[in-house]
Amino acid sequence: MLPSRRLLAAVALAVLAFVPAQVAGQAAEAPPAWLFPSFVRDPTNLDPAPRHVPGSDAAYTEAQIRDPFTVPDWRPGDHPPMPPVVGAGRHPDVRPCAYCHYPTGQGRPENAPLAGLSAEYIVEQMGDYKADARKSLVGADSRWIMNVIAKAATEAELKEAAEYFSKQTYKPWIKVVESDTAPAVRWEAGLPLPIPGQAPVPIAGRIIEVSVDPELTVLRDPGQSFTAYVPKGSVARGKALATTGGGKTLPCSTCHGADLKGMEPAPPLAGRSPTYIARSLYDFKGGGRNGPGGAQLMKPMAAALSLDDMVDVAAYVATLRP
């Protein structure tokens, strides 16, 4: 039997009894730049030549690839036909979902992986975006874009998109590497790109999630997987927190299932982007996610976690098979 919202709410209330005492007096922390990257991009010097990716006959120019109303659909055979809101959007404010989340719904570190989420959960989250109950803590990032889209989209468009992505299968494509260092990166439109020729830098409590082929990922090729560099020891620490609560919160399995593959109404976590998971936990704690549904269950769970705890949990969750 799947847990009801009433049962999950009771679980959340149980943890509220001890969370405030643990976080009382905790200093407010500025949102870390690596978790909330800039979406600024250089619009100049675009190559007019058509670009290609392996295994595809399609061709797009750099201007098309950077146009948020043009979805580079490199391999149409890898996904079902996209409904208009997913593949084309609607000017001026409803950007096509597949531009950021890919036609396969795999997503990237700067946004949500939608494949395999329930249609009901996706619609709920879009309602939170529409009501500004899910929003950016730092300004113009992907959540700000989603607020605009959710307010402009029709109910029918939201349901179409939710049904489309709920039928996709999320595939394993993240390799977690524990390390004292990570590649030096620059940020382009929310994506960390390794700086050629620059030596690795101290990881310093961060998650640095980079594509195995950054050039193809910049071309928005959904066939490219990611390597997530995480602090040494984070996977073991995260497992202890996720499976027992570590005396701070409740085990993730309480709501997300024993294998963390989801249990209605809670979404699947296993194998998903650790950057996205850590950002979500930070948002629950900081007020960026404050909707009337699932967010109210997660807020007390995340309240007692430090940023290091969030990194650890996210690192562990990313090692699990979806």
Side-chain angles (χ1 to χ4, degrees), residues 250-264:
L250 294 182
C252 301
S253 59
T254 305
C255 298
H256 296 274
D259 52 9
L260 302 190
K261 293 183 179 180
M263 192 166 63
E264 289 292 349

Side-chain angles (χ1 to χ4, degrees), residues 122-238:
I122 294 173
V123 169
E124 176 188 275
Q125 296 309 301
M126 293 303 292
D128 287 352
Y129 279 122
K130 184 173 184 177
D132 287 325
R134 184 170 178 177
K135 59 186 179 181
S136 172
L137 294 176
V138 296
D141 68 358
S142 61
R143 275 73 53 76
W144 176 82
I145 295 169
M146 288 303 302
N147 293 141
V148 174
I149 293 171
K151 291 172 183 176
T154 66
E155 183 176 341
E157 288 172 329
L158 296 179
K159 288 182 177 178
E160 269 192 323
E163 290 292 339
Y164 173 83
F165 287 115
S166 71
K167 292 179 173 62
Q168 304 271 27
T169 299
Y170 183 77
K171 65 180 183 181
W173 72 339
I174 297 167
K175 178 183 179 182
V176 176
V177 175
E178 290 191 329
S179 178
D180 290 326
T181 62
V185 297
R186 63 179 180 86
W187 300 91
E188 180 175 324
L191 185 70
L193 300 175
I195 301 173
Q198 188 158 329
V201 297
I203 198 164
R206 301 174 298 164
I207 298 169
I208 300 297
E209 194 171 348
V210 296
S211 169
V212 296
D213 194 323
E215 181 178 351
L216 292 180
T217 299
V218 168
L219 298 180
R220 311 197 82 82
D221 177 2
Q224 306 311 309
S225 58
F226 289 82
T227 299
Y229 294 87
V230 301
K232 282 188 176 178
S234 59
V235 173
R237 292 191 299 268

Side-chain angles (χ1 to χ4, degrees), residues 8-9 11-20 22-23 248-250 284-285 294-305:
L8 295 182
V11 170
L13 286 173
V15 87
L16 273 173
F18 66 89
V19 164
Q22 292 192 2
V23 300
K248 295 184 176 184
T249 185
L250 294 182
F284 285 126
K285 181 174 180 175
Q296 298 308 311
L297 307 179
M298 278 303 304
K299 285 173 65 177
M301 310 300 177
L305 300 180

Side-chain angles (χ1 to χ4, degrees), residues 13-91:
L13 286 173
V15 87
L16 273 173
F18 66 89
V19 164
Q22 292 192 2
V23 300
Q26 194 172 46
E29 51 189 18
W34 65 267
L35 198 53
F36 296 90
S38 168
F39 268 63
V40 174
R41 64 172 66 189
D42 181 3
T44 62
N45 301 320
L46 298 184
D47 187 347
R51 303 300 299 271
H52 302 270
V53 304
S56 172
D57 295 328
Y60 299 93
T61 65
E62 285 191 18
Q64 289 177 307
I65 291 166
R66 292 192 177 210
D67 175 9
F69 280 90
T70 299
V71 175
D73 192 3
W74 295 109
R75 301 178 190 86
D78 287 354
H79 59 84
M82 294 183 284
V85 68
V86 174
R90 179 168 51 80
H91 286 276

